[in-house]
Each structure stands twice: as C-alpha cells, then as structure tokens.
Amino acid sequence: MIPVAVESGRSALDLLESGASFDIALLDLHMPEMDGTMLAAHIRRLRSPSELPLALLSSGAATRAEVCADGSAKDLFAFILSKPVKPSLLFDGMQTAVTQTAAPPRIKEPARDFDHKLADRLPLKILIAEDNVVNQRVLSRCLERIGYRPDIVANGLEAVEAVERQHYDAVLMDVHMPQMDGLEAAQTIRQRFRDKLRPRLIAMTANAMQGDREECLAAGMDDYVTKPVQMALLHAALERCAVALVE
C-alpha cells in the first residue's frame, strides 16, 4: 500500500474530482483555509461513506463528541484519533473502517492445507483478548475453522479476571488495549500463576517492528504473532502451545 499525501484540502478535492480512487482518507483537523471537518463535508458530496471512509486526526484532545458537537459532522468520520497517533490504534481504526464498508474479510489460506480438526488432535481451551470487534470476529472465525470455540474479552483487565475464574490453555493477547494493555496483563498473569498452572500467552500486535517480539517476550509473553493474524501462523502457534503444555 503506497499512501498519497497532499498539503491542503483543495489539493485533496482536486484529486478526488479528477477521479482518483482511495480506500480511506486521513484528514488533519487543523489545516489552513479548510479544516478537516469542512474538507470531509466537501468529500461527502463526491464520495459516500461506503466509497471512501474518512478518519480525523487531531493534535488536541478533541473527541468525537467535541468535534461533532453541533451535529453537522456526526456521520462524517469512521474514527477520530489524537496526535501523535499510535500505529496500533491507526491500524485497528483503518481495518475496522475499511472492513465495515467492504465485503466480509477473507481469511488467507496458507500454502499448505491446515488441519480442520486441530482441536480434536490438540484440545485447547482458548481465550481471545482483543478490543477491536472486527478483529474479534475474524480471529474467532479462524479458530472455529480448526475446531475451537474461544471465549472473548475486550481488554487486559478482563483477560486477567477470566483467567482467575477458569482454566485456559492459551490466551491470544492483543498488545494494545484499553484499561490494561496486553503487556501489563501478561505480567500480572505471570505474577499470579505458577508456570504449570498459567495459560500460554501469545502476543498479537500490528507493530511488526524490530524489537517488538523481544519486548513482548520480556513482558512475559510466551509466543508472538503479527496482525492481521494469518491462519498458518496461528496454526503453528497453537501447535507450539500444545507441545509446551506437555513438556
């Protein structure tokens, strides 16, 4: 994906009026001549939300309610983020916006056939800790295709509470979540449970940057997969989980 950057709202409108096509537009709230909400209103005359979802980036602490206080911008934006923007939040927002306006997400198949009955061979009780609803559905569907029926929670605090309530063999833990992020949740679970009693913690992060794996492992994660999670990588992580549990 190669982004196209322009310096003004007028330039953006010129591109769209010329017929240029984009999957999503990221608009700065504070721009000269035409701010982000004004530009969004103009864009809506050219493209519907399903044709071009919009996101607003603000350098202040503006929330959706504040930006849309007068009701004029209520339905303009798929999501709003404050700057500096966290890559994981931007990724999740873009994925949700594009997925909701497109066909249902397709799950990539690995080059080899995966085991549709992996759950029969490796019975595992699995918990998904992920705050993004679309990601929850996609990951749950991936697991269902290989025979698992996972439980789902929306943040690290709920993950810790779920692990305290019942036994899980594996927790697929998003790194960036509200209330308690995945790294803090992993540290908490490690502190409260001995190795033989605690679930295997598998980090999920959209930040496929050098050092991210090491950071996750240092925080107490046992394994690491990047988002969007590919079926082959998920399959392999669960196989490693099953091997670790019997060692």
Side-chain angles (χ1 to χ4, degrees), residues 24-57:
I24 191 168
L26 308 178
L27 312 183
D28 187 11
L29 175 60
H30 303 290
M31 294 186 291
E33 298 182 11
M34 186 185 302
D35 67 20
T37 56
M38 294 172 61
L39 174 58
H42 284 291
I43 290 176
R44 279 291 161 259
R45 298 188 183 100
L46 301 172
R47 302 283 195 281
S48 68
S50 61
E51 293 172 317
L52 182 61
L54 305 177
L56 186 67
L57 310 180

Side-chain angles (χ1 to χ4, degrees), residues 33-132:
E33 298 182 11
M34 186 185 302
D35 67 20
T37 56
M38 294 172 61
L39 174 58
H42 284 291
I43 290 176
R44 279 291 161 259
R45 298 188 183 100
L46 301 172
R47 302 283 195 281
S48 68
S50 61
E51 293 172 317
L52 182 61
L54 305 177
L56 186 67
L57 310 180
S58 169
S59 57
T63 64
R64 176 181 291 272
E66 291 168 341
V67 172
C68 306
D70 63 356
S72 61
K74 180 180 178 181
D75 299 316
L76 289 177
F77 302 107
F79 64 95
I80 298 171
L81 293 177
S82 295
K83 297 191 294 183
V85 174
K86 292 184 178 180
S88 61
L89 295 181
L90 179 60
F91 174 87
D92 285 346
M94 291 174 63
Q95 185 181 50
T96 300
V98 172
T99 302
Q100 287 178 343
T101 58
R106 296 179 61 187
I107 300 174
K108 284 188 176 181
E109 304 289 347
R112 62 178 176 82
D113 290 335
F114 55 83
D115 187 351
H116 290 271
K117 297 184 178 180
L118 183 65
D120 293 338
R121 181 165 59 87
L122 303 175
L124 300 170
K125 180 65 175 175
I126 299 174
L127 176 68
I128 297 172
E130 164 67 68
D131 62 309
N132 184 284

